[in-house]
Amino acid sequence: YFYKVIISILPRLKKEKKENILNNIHKYVKISDLNKFRLNIFNKINSNEKFRENFYKISKSLVDIIVGNEIAMQLRVNLSIQFPKDDSSLLPIHADTWSGVSPFETVIWLPLVDCYKTKSMYLLPPKKNKKLKKIFLNKKVKTSEDVFEKVKNDLIWLNVKYGQVVIFDQSLAHGNIINKENETRWTMNCRFKVYL
């Protein structure tokens, strides 16, 4: 499906091998055009009536166990594209709950390519998240970079292959850094919570 959407935006890629397009999209799209390109794809996939339903089906067995089967799903599925050596698509260390998002939501993170090392994301494990409370209470950090420096040795870098999904509690600190690998990262994410 993504191949068709990309070809509709960049018809010249029809000649390229399908399996290489996502990992190498940075060779065809300028960094200055990346957000426009991403939003174009985002709008096309989210205007497809079946897209949200299919995204849910991919992770249904996990969501039903963790959240339950009476759920509310985010209206649009997010799309992230991170080119190699590009700092315009960074998410510094954060937990979604820090900005007021419900602690009862669960995130499904779905890579569209193999994600590894800096082409992936990191999570701070639950036990190590307790360390953050002390850091914040001591008021010795002023920026997200300060927080990252304090916990960087505790972070877990996810190694997730195409076709696998990650489900996590958004109260866990997470983020990414500059992609130092030679391939582009494509991921989708969506939040689910109990429908009340």
Side-chain angles (χ1 to χ4, degrees):
Y1 177 71
F2 269 82
Y3 174 74
K4 288 180 182 177
V5 172
I6 292 167
I7 294 303
S8 73
I9 299 167
L10 298 172
R12 70 183 189 272
L13 294 183
K14 276 184 185 174
K15 297 176 183 175
E16 300 298 323
K17 291 182 179 178
K18 287 181 187 180
E19 60 271 18
N20 294 335
I21 289 177
L22 293 182
N23 277 318
N24 295 309
I25 199 70
H26 57 279
K27 295 178 181 178
Y28 308 103
V29 177
K30 295 178 189 172
I31 288 178
S32 58
D33 296 330
L34 174 57
N35 197 46
K36 182 180 176 184
F37 175 71
R38 184 188 66 80
L39 286 173
N40 199 344
I41 295 171
F42 170 85
N43 288 325
K44 284 180 186 284
I45 62 175
N46 282 290
S47 65
N48 180 319
E49 292 177 13
K50 292 281 187 184
F51 190 77
R52 283 178 75 241
E53 180 183 341
N54 289 333
F55 187 93
Y56 169 59
K57 284 179 181 176
I58 288 169
S59 55
K60 183 180 185 318
S61 61
L62 295 171
V63 172
D64 286 359
I65 291 168
I66 294 170
V67 182
N69 60 3
E70 293 186 21
I71 59 166
M73 179 180 178
Q74 185 175 309
L75 283 177
R76 295 185 188 191
V77 177
N78 292 321
L79 174 67
S80 173
I81 305 171
Q82 189 183 18
F83 286 176
K85 299 169 185 62
D86 172 29
D87 64 359
S88 70
S89 303
L90 298 182
L91 274 176
I93 191 164
H94 70 287
D96 299 346
T97 53
W98 297 352
S99 57
V101 174
S102 169
F104 302 105
E105 291 182 357
T106 298
V107 179
I108 294 292
W109 191 74
L110 176 69
L112 301 174
V113 292
D114 290 348
C115 290
Y116 55 91
K117 296 182 183 175
T118 60
K119 188 186 169 192
S120 190
M121 67 176 277
Y122 57 78
L123 282 172
L124 188 62
K127 288 182 181 175
K128 299 294 183 177
N129 263 271
K130 291 177 182 175
K131 184 177 181 179
L132 284 174
K133 288 180 185 174
K134 291 179 184 174
I135 291 170
F136 291 141
L137 288 172
N138 291 337
K139 299 181 182 176
K140 291 182 179 177
V141 293
K142 295 192 180 349
T143 66
S144 57
E145 288 82 14
D146 293 341
V147 175
F148 181 83
E149 285 301 315
K150 296 272 187 190
V151 298
K152 68 180 179 183
N153 293 330
D154 298 322
L155 298 172
I156 295 174
W157 290 87
L158 303 182
N159 185 356
V160 188
K161 295 188 181 299
Y162 167 74
Q164 296 179 320
V165 298
V166 174
I167 186 167
F168 68 95
D169 173 345
Q170 60 188 5
S171 65
L172 296 179
H174 59 283
N176 67 351
I177 62 171
I178 291 176
N179 177 4
K180 296 175 186 172
E181 314 314 318
N182 294 320
E183 300 170 331
T184 296
R185 186 188 90 181
W186 290 71
T187 58
M188 292 187 297
N189 69 78
C190 192
R191 294 173 180 85
F192 295 86
K193 67 178 178 180
V194 174
Y195 181 75
L196 300 174

